[in-house]
Amino acid sequence: MEITNLVNFAPMRIDILTILPELLTGPFSNSIMKRAQEKGHLELQLHNIRDYATNKQKSVDDYQYGGGAGMVMSIEPIAAIIDKLKTERAYDEIIYMTPDGDLLEQGECNDLSLKGNIMILCGHYKGVDERIREHYITKEMSIGSYVLSGGELGAAVLVDSVVRLIPGVLNDETSALTDSFQDGLLSPPVYTRPPEFNGWEVPKILLSGDFGKIEKWREEKAIERTEERRPDLLEE
Ligand code: ADE
């Protein structure tokens, strides 16, 4: 695995190619994504594909060859942005968000969080001209077995899940090490004050101060929950 980001201590650079940049400004200007940029861990650029359309109508899609319902995103504007960005820096991955891509899993997020430069292309309509996928895309990702109106929300999910793992983005309190999936298990239940509400009590062991026992209880609960909800994780 190439660990460019750790070695250089440079911010991770993510370029997102979209026809709807407005859809992405919200998710990236709040909370942890905002802090990651302010703290210099992340440099995020949104590129409007329409700005690279050269025809009079500024169209970015066209009818599909062979007929059939649904438009296809044209190759020229997308190729123009990718070619331009590639002259500015080398990209570790050029990712296409698509429902027929590899299902996003925590392991992939971990790997991507160690990269230096990532480009993400958001699809729309019937998808992009296949030649983009063949000649430019290095990875195709899906965030689940359902179809979204476009790749933007998928890109937001991917970026969020990756950026929170960049060393230094989260503080100890929000450490990613104890997240569900990091050890192949779902997380155990958590509680905070008050110790009793409506007669519903916090498990006594969590108030005991015996951290050895608490750790063991958490491990048991994590296994129990994984067996109940995601037995497939245990088989892996
Ligand atoms: N675009 C449309 N549906 C998608 C999905 N499930 N994952 C990623 N990108 C998509």
Side-chain angles (χ1 to χ4, degrees):
M1 194 195 330
E2 215 183 332
I3 312 187
T4 44
N5 202 38
L6 275 185
V7 174
N8 297 334
F9 292 107
M12 175 186 278
R13 163 97 185 193
I14 301 181
D15 292 272
I16 304 186
L17 284 42
T18 168
I19 57 168
L20 289 171
E22 313 83 49
L23 259 186
L24 289 168
T25 46
F28 297 134
S29 48
N30 288 286
S31 183
I32 286 163
M33 293 305 111
K34 181 180 178 197
R35 212 173 62 213
Q37 292 170 83
E38 286 172 353
K39 282 168 76 180
H41 294 296
L42 171 68
E43 194 183 326
L44 186 85
Q45 286 294 329
L46 302 178
H47 304 270
N48 192 336
I49 296 171
R50 210 171 288 283
D51 292 343
Y52 291 77
T54 48
N55 52 27
K56 243 202 257 145
Q57 306 78 24
K58 289 269 169 200
S59 69
V60 290
D61 59 342
D62 210 336
Y63 296 102
Q64 52 177 313
Y65 277 125
M71 305 294 274
V72 175
M73 289 175 80
S74 305
I75 191 166
E76 296 99 326
I78 295 171
I81 313 181
I82 299 179
D83 284 340
K84 172 175 168 280
L85 289 173
K86 280 170 81 172
T87 64
E88 294 167 7
R89 68 194 62 76
Y91 284 87
D92 298 301
E93 298 287 1
I94 303 181
I95 302 171
Y96 175 48
M97 301 309 301
T98 175
D100 59 3
D102 294 338
L103 211 51
L104 181 63
E105 304 271 11
Q106 188 64 45
E108 183 68 49
C109 305
N110 293 349
D111 289 352
L112 289 172
S113 73
L114 301 173
K115 303 287 184 191
N117 302 317
I118 296 174
M119 203 188 302
I120 303 175
L121 170 62
C122 304
H124 266 265
Y125 321 117
K126 277 277 166 204
V128 295
D129 188 304
E130 188 68 18
R131 290 166 291 183
I132 292 279
R133 299 172 75 159
E134 281 170 10
H135 298 287
Y136 288 101
I137 298 300
T138 61
K139 200 179 265 300
E140 303 192 326
M141 302 292 336
S142 162
I143 63 156
S145 305
Y146 41 80
V147 179
L148 301 165
S149 329
E152 283 76 10
L153 297 182
V157 168
L158 173 68
V159 170
D160 186 291
S161 64
V162 168
V163 168
R164 61 195 296 286
L165 298 171
I166 299 173
V169 167
L170 296 186
N171 50 36
D172 274 355
E173 277 161 45
T174 48
S175 166
L177 293 176
T178 55
D179 285 344
S180 278
F181 304 110
Q182 282 299 13
D183 53 3
L185 294 174
L186 301 182
S187 292
V190 291
Y191 300 84
T192 185
R193 287 182 289 186
E196 186 254 304
F197 177 81
N198 273 356
W200 306 324
E201 289 184 1
V202 171
K204 291 263 180 309
I205 187 126
L206 296 177
L207 312 177
S208 69
D210 185 335
F211 292 104
K213 280 200 183 139
I214 290 174
E215 204 40 54
K216 193 158 165 286
W217 179 89
R218 286 185 171 147
E219 213 176 292
E220 281 165 13
K221 289 289 166 192
I223 294 170
E224 208 174 283
R225 187 159 273 196
T226 311
E227 277 169 350
E228 270 169 28
R229 301 182 182 192
R230 293 292 305 275
D232 56 300
L233 293 176
L234 296 171
E235 280 155 28
E236 279 166 24

